[in-house]
Amino acid sequence: MSRKLTTNHVAARAGVSIGTLYQYFASKQDILAALAQRRAGAVRDAIAETIIRKPDVSSVRPIVQALMNGFEGSPATRQTLLDAMFLRGGDSVLAQHHEAFLAAIAGRARLQVELTPESAFVLTHAPIALLRAAAAEPELGLDPARLEDELVRLMESYIGALVAARR
């Protein structure tokens, strides 16, 4: 994706001059990072709404699916967008989305468990880190449906353990 995408193509598609495009974005990487941030924000907001509507373990699969499908396109496109987002935002990108997610559900979701900073960290970072690793390692040939099942199993087990520990 990245090699086929040019700032001239972006400007033409947006209906603006290349000079106008460069007023907002310094490079192609900045455009990709902004697109990735927009998509990540949309996924984060959709997941927050899912949890607010149905704050139980039955929400896990739709959440995993949202994470897996939030960046449309080929695996190479997803990897290009994620790389651009992390290149521009650094490792703090996940922390920013984590904080925004917690703020979005604060006082609006009736969870079965009390989220400590540690459990919230695990719940938000584990699936993202594993999906990022899967995208970075296409040579593993992971089957998306099976990976989804494994992520659901992981998250449901963890939430179940949190519920059991609360009793």
Side-chain angles (χ1 to χ4, degrees):
M1 172 184 168
S2 184
R3 282 177 265 158
K4 294 179 184 177
L5 178 73
T6 67
T7 52
N8 285 327
H9 288 125
V10 172
R13 180 86 186 258
V16 299
S17 71
I18 191 74
T20 299
L21 182 69
Y22 278 116
Q23 287 178 344
Y24 295 96
F25 301 101
S27 68
K28 178 171 65 171
Q29 284 301 99
D30 287 342
I31 295 167
L32 292 171
L35 178 59
Q37 281 286 18
R38 176 192 266 175
R39 286 187 179 177
V43 169
R44 180 194 67 231
D45 293 345
I47 291 170
E49 287 304 313
T50 298
I51 289 174
I52 291 165
R53 280 192 323 272
K54 197 163 188 178
D56 60 37
V57 78
S58 68
S59 296
V60 172
R61 185 165 300 275
I63 290 168
V64 168
Q65 290 170 337
L67 288 169
M68 291 183 76
N69 301 319
F71 284 75
E72 303 91 12
S74 70
T77 297
R78 287 186 213 121
Q79 188 61 44
T80 297
L81 290 171
L82 288 171
D83 287 348
M85 185 170 72
F86 282 98
L87 182 66
R88 289 295 179 254
D91 289 332
S92 69
V93 165
L94 283 181
Q96 292 165 4
H97 284 284
H98 171 80
E99 292 298 324
F101 169 75
L102 293 178
I105 66 168
R108 297 179 63 207
R110 291 194 168 102
L111 302 175
Q112 296 175 332
V113 298
E114 181 180 338
L115 288 182
T116 65
E118 296 78 14
S119 63
F121 175 85
V122 170
L123 284 167
T124 60
H125 284 64
I128 293 167
L130 290 169
L131 288 169
R132 187 173 176 211
E137 301 174 45
E139 66 276 4
L140 295 176
L142 300 175
D143 177 80
R146 287 184 176 167
L147 181 58
E148 176 185 317
D149 289 342
E150 293 303 320
L151 288 170
V152 168
R153 186 181 349 272
L154 173 72
M155 301 309 292
E156 287 177 346
S157 297
Y158 184 67
I159 291 168
L162 290 174
V163 170
R166 186 174 184 198
R167 293 180 185 155

